[in-house]
Amino acid sequence: MNSYDIAIIGSGPGGYVCAIRAAQLGFKTALIEKYNSLGGTCLNVGCIPSKALLDSSEHYHNALENFKAHGIEIDSPRVNMPQMIERKRKVVAQTVDGIRFLMKKNKIDVYHGVGSFVDPHTIKITGEKEENLTAKHIVIATGSKPSSLPFVKIDKERIITSTEALELQEVPKHLIVIGGGVIGVELGSVYKRLGAKVSVVEYLDRIIPAFDSALSKELYKVLKKQGMDFYLSHKVTAVERKGDEVTVTATAPDGKEVQLTGDYCLISIGRRPYTEGLNLEAAGLSTDERGRIPVNDHLQTAVPHIYAIGDVVRGAMLAHKAEEEGVFVAEYIAGQKPHIDYNLIPNVVYTWPEVASVGRSEEELKAAGIPYRSGSFPMRALGRARASGDIDGLVKILAHAETDEILGFHVIGARAADLVAEGVVAMEFRASAEDLARISHAHPTFAEAIKEAALDATGKRALHM
Ligand code: FAD
């Protein structure tokens, strides 16, 4: 039986990054993945394929709607859905190959098969053959799966999750999206731009509720302008398929019943931790009421040599959060003193305009009774935004009213996903809004909105507003 210093179950961004860091630190490392493909949700059915389709659909949208204004005339562009999906598959395949290369380079033993505990140090791998391995330390990085509503039967054909939505061979005529969170608005956006009618039904009174309300309001306005329909504060009570039609029934805020009929219904109400098949009991472990594996501040489970990271534990379900935790665990086992500031994990929505945020929202600061000052700046006032035609959006900076330390950094606009990095760096170094206001920002860039918002937060002295 092979024995290892560290064995990791699950090859998503948590697991494979943990494996690389462990190998770098000199540990004999094994990575166990039940599918043939490495990379987990993120690479196979999450971050990467969704961004590939977002980019393709944006090209199409621009060709259809925006080229003319730039003086580019082309005959009416058409969507070739099988080709778009094929390109996405290639992007995924290349990325997955990259992970396999990294495993080889770092001399990590990869096992394909379902990993389950035999005892706290032994894992059985059930794949084409069955074999056991032992490890001094074990890391559970088994990720998450899409959640559903108890009364909905996901048939994976017409009533689908994000996984199937990334493989459609046709543009829906009417896509009904249940859930206006990140995944719902991103995939809704893809198909809206490709020509589908898209209706988003959301239980809460706003979309992307995890973000500062200024961003959700602005995104709502822009997506509505792009033609998306929203049914906010609507409670879905039934989802029924008849032939190729799906009917969604929901209760409106006034108590009236609303019925929507489409050809596809995407269920995107969140994800749940995935621990099926692990046989946690054999290791002396169990899950909490939300299906997560409880961990302490060092990401140790109730059995100290077994760790858990990523979507399967508490915290944001994000690839880069899982990666940070993967590195953390490897370094902790090596006797180092790693640290993660969970308040500074950025959160991004890849619609166009993009939405990105780090730190606290205004609602959170209010609820916590923390005194703050707010500054904001609209993208439309920037030369760069005018030049490219990306005028929607704003930057909003929240700073402590007395110390001026930046507490929240919120962007909606072109390249927001990249712009948020400036906020993360500033907040990691505990910068003040005044610091950002005094830093030279290249002209013309979208990042100038950050400087201007910081100027607005520190005495209402934005220069171009
Ligand atoms: P996962 O990536 O879920 O990997 C877990 C792995 O464990 C899987 O490969 C699974 O097969 C394997 N496994 C499970 N059980 C076993 C077992 N018993 N034995 C062996 N293997 C097992 N996050 C972002 O940060 N940015 C984004 O843009 C983004 N976009 C997304 C878009 C979509 C459509 C979706 C669905 C998710 C998106 N996410 C995004 C979230 C991101 O994918 C997850 O947060 C991330 O993949 C979590 O990483 P993980 O390592 O915890 O688990």
Side-chain angles (χ1 to χ4, degrees):
M1 192 177 356
N2 287 334
S3 58
Y4 291 90
D5 295 319
I6 304 182
I8 299 150
I9 310 176
S11 75
Y16 87 75
V17 167
C18 183
I20 295 173
R21 190 70 190 115
Q24 284 176 345
L25 290 163
F27 292 116
K28 189 178 176 205
T29 306
L31 182 69
I32 303 155
E33 170 55 54
K34 70 174 183 173
Y35 292 123
N36 287 332
S37 172
L38 299 178
T41 304
C42 178
L43 270 65
N44 293 282
V45 291
C47 329
I48 301 302
S50 61
K51 266 80 256 181
L53 289 186
L54 276 155
D55 280 338
S56 297
S57 64
E58 197 192 326
H59 286 314
Y60 174 69
H61 175 80
N62 282 335
L64 205 64
E65 305 277 334
N66 299 330
F67 276 12
K68 218 171 182 176
H70 285 268
I72 305 165
E73 308 251 333
I74 51 169
D75 292 337
S76 47
R78 284 180 309 280
V79 175
N80 178 343
M81 204 60 209
Q83 164 59 20
M84 202 176 278
I85 295 292
E86 195 44 42
R87 176 191 169 274
K88 177 223 70 170
R89 285 186 190 147
K90 277 194 190 131
V91 172
V92 169
Q94 278 166 357
T95 320
V96 166
D97 277 355
I99 305 299
R100 197 165 288 287
F101 163 79
L102 289 172
M103 295 303 106
K104 254 199 199 123
K105 183 184 156 203
N106 287 285
K107 302 192 173 47
I108 294 158
D109 288 348
V110 175
Y111 293 82
H112 285 286
V114 175
S116 59
F117 284 98
V118 175
D119 62 49
H121 281 285
T122 312
I123 301 167
K124 179 170 77 180
I125 302 155
T126 314
E128 273 174 21
K129 54 181 180 167
E130 198 176 286
E131 58 189 314
N132 286 9
L133 60 77
T134 62
K136 283 190 207 128
H137 305 276
I138 294 171
V139 183
I140 303 171
T142 48
S144 61
K145 287 275 179 236
S147 302
S148 187
L149 294 160
F151 50 85
V152 176
K153 186 182 169 325
I154 293 175
D155 62 21
K156 300 190 177 187
E157 288 173 4
R158 297 282 160 178
I159 304 173
I160 59 178
T161 69
S162 57
T163 304
E164 295 77 47
L166 295 166
E167 279 287 323
L168 293 185
Q169 292 294 316
E170 61 175 359
V171 177
K173 289 181 201 68
H174 181 192
L175 174 67
I176 304 164
V177 178
I178 301 181
V182 176
I183 294 176
V185 294
E186 282 189 5
L187 292 174
S189 232
V190 165
Y191 288 106
K192 176 71 221 152
R193 295 195 293 218
L194 295 179
K197 174 179 164 64
V198 175
S199 306
V200 178
V201 188
E202 167 58 52
Y203 179 69
L204 297 176
D205 61 358
R206 61 183 175 112
I207 57 169
I208 54 164
F211 285 79
D212 188 284
S213 67
L215 303 192
S216 39
K217 265 186 214 143
E218 181 75 4
L219 184 67
Y220 176 77
K221 208 171 74 191
V222 177
L223 292 181
K224 256 191 108 110
K225 204 166 70 185
Q226 288 175 11
M228 237 190 240
D229 293 329
F230 290 97
Y231 297 83
L232 301 181
S233 305
H234 278 61
K235 185 175 181 215
V236 172
T237 54
V239 178
E240 281 153 348
R241 176 177 172 184
K242 261 202 201 117
D244 286 347
E245 276 191 352
V246 185
T247 301
V248 172
T249 310
T251 312
D254 59 9
K256 286 202 182 110
E257 202 166 77
V258 176
Q259 281 204 327
L260 300 167
T261 299
D263 48 348
Y264 289 91
C265 174
L266 166 64
I267 311 288
S268 51
I269 56 158
R271 296 178 62 83
R272 60 179 173 82
Y274 184 74
T275 53
E276 270 116 79
L278 274 174
N279 196 23
L280 288 174
E281 311 76 55
L285 295 175
S286 56
T287 55
D288 68 11
E289 72 293 347
R290 291 167 67 180
R292 303 173 298 195
I293 299 180
V295 286
N296 66 14
D297 287 348
H298 307 303
L299 295 158
Q300 285 167 305
T301 64
V303 180
H305 73 272
I306 304 178
Y307 298 76
I309 59 172
D311 283 8
V312 81
V313 302
R314 82 285 180 271
M317 287 189 170
L318 292 169
H320 43 285
K321 178 260 193 186
E323 289 186 28
E324 292 302 324
E325 292 183 334
V327 169
F328 181 103
V329 164
E331 293 183 348
Y332 185 76
I333 294 171
Q336 298 184 7
K337 302 231 172 327
H339 173 73
I340 298 173
D341 186 342
Y342 285 96
N343 184 43
L344 297 187
I345 303 280
N347 201 358
V348 177
V349 189
Y350 292 83
T351 44
W352 197 261
E354 294 174 341
V355 184
S357 211
V358 62
R360 313 264 211 123
S361 67
E362 192 162 347
E363 293 75 29
E364 284 169 342
L365 291 178
K366 268 190 192 140
I370 298 170
Y372 64 92
R373 282 194 304 241
S374 171
S376 59
F377 191 80
M379 292 293 184
R380 68 179 57 247
L382 294 175
R384 186 73 191 86
R386 297 227 154 259
S388 73
D390 296 301
I391 54 171
D392 291 318
L394 59 105
V395 173
K396 174 172 169 181
I397 292 175
L398 302 167
H400 195 284
E402 283 131 35
T403 66
D404 196 34
E405 180 175 350
I406 302 166
L407 304 174
F409 185 97
H410 309 284
V411 189
I412 174 167
R415 314 259 166 258
D418 298 296
L419 294 179
V420 77
E422 181 172 341
V424 180
V425 173
M427 290 172 75
E428 279 284 0
F429 286 91
R430 303 196 64 177
S432 63
E434 181 73 21
D435 289 329
L436 280 189
R438 290 193 176 273
I439 292 171
S440 169
H441 286 71
H443 174 76
T445 57
F446 292 104
E448 284 175 287
I450 297 171
K451 182 186 173 86
E452 294 275 9
L455 283 165
D456 190 47
T458 50
K460 300 290 159 203
R461 56 202 167 111
L463 296 164
H464 294 89
M465 196 166 58

